[in-house]
Amino acid sequence: MSNSWKASLKSKELFEEYLTNYFSEHKELKGSYDTRSYYEYYTVRLDSRDGLIITFTSGITNPNITNGAASIPYKSTEKMSIEEFRQLVLHKRFADMHASLADVFNSVAGNNDNLQK
């Protein structure tokens, strides 16, 4: 089941069905990544009206970058249809072909370390 999302990418209908089932079981997908100077947390949920709702919280963790001042987290929300997300995934090549759906969301959210150009 862990790679069934890849098989569902073959058609708009299969992918929509897969994500609908995924989010009916999991409600939301959470992820994060960070470096020594930056962090980002995100949640993804499916809304019947707006499609995928991706909420990002990011900030700077290195006080040298902010000249010693406290970093204020930045929060933003993106909305995307399931088909827009499918097209985005289809147009990227993943270096690790064993990537999970969470890995894909992480890559799409902005951590491109696992992507091949």
Side-chain angles (χ1 to χ4, degrees), residues 76-92:
S76 66
T77 301
E78 301 282 334
K79 295 178 182 179
M80 173 182 303
S81 74
I82 292 175
E83 179 58 13
E84 288 171 326
F85 180 68
R86 184 177 85 91
Q87 291 300 318
L88 185 61
V89 172
L90 285 172
H91 290 98
K92 293 186 179 274

Side-chain angles (χ1 to χ4, degrees), residues 24-104:
S24 71
E25 293 176 18
H26 297 94
K27 303 302 176 209
E28 68 180 16
L29 176 69
K30 293 183 179 186
S32 65
Y33 64 91
D34 56 70
T35 66
R36 288 190 284 169
S37 59
Y38 176 82
Y39 68 88
E40 183 163 286
Y41 303 106
Y42 63 90
T43 60
V44 182
R45 64 183 176 82
L46 182 62
D47 182 85
S48 61
R49 184 182 43 147
D50 292 326
L52 294 169
I53 310 292
I54 307 169
T55 303
F56 303 96
T57 303
S58 58
I60 298 172
T61 58
N62 186 338
N64 293 329
I65 294 173
T66 59
N67 294 324
S71 172
I72 299 172
Y74 174 74
K75 189 172 185 176
S76 66
T77 301
E78 301 282 334
K79 295 178 182 179
M80 173 182 303
S81 74
I82 292 175
E83 179 58 13
E84 288 171 326
F85 180 68
R86 184 177 85 91
Q87 291 300 318
L88 185 61
V89 172
L90 285 172
H91 290 98
K92 293 186 179 274
R93 297 185 186 269
F94 291 88
D96 179 5
M97 293 310 292
H98 300 290
S100 69
L101 183 60
D103 296 332
V104 173

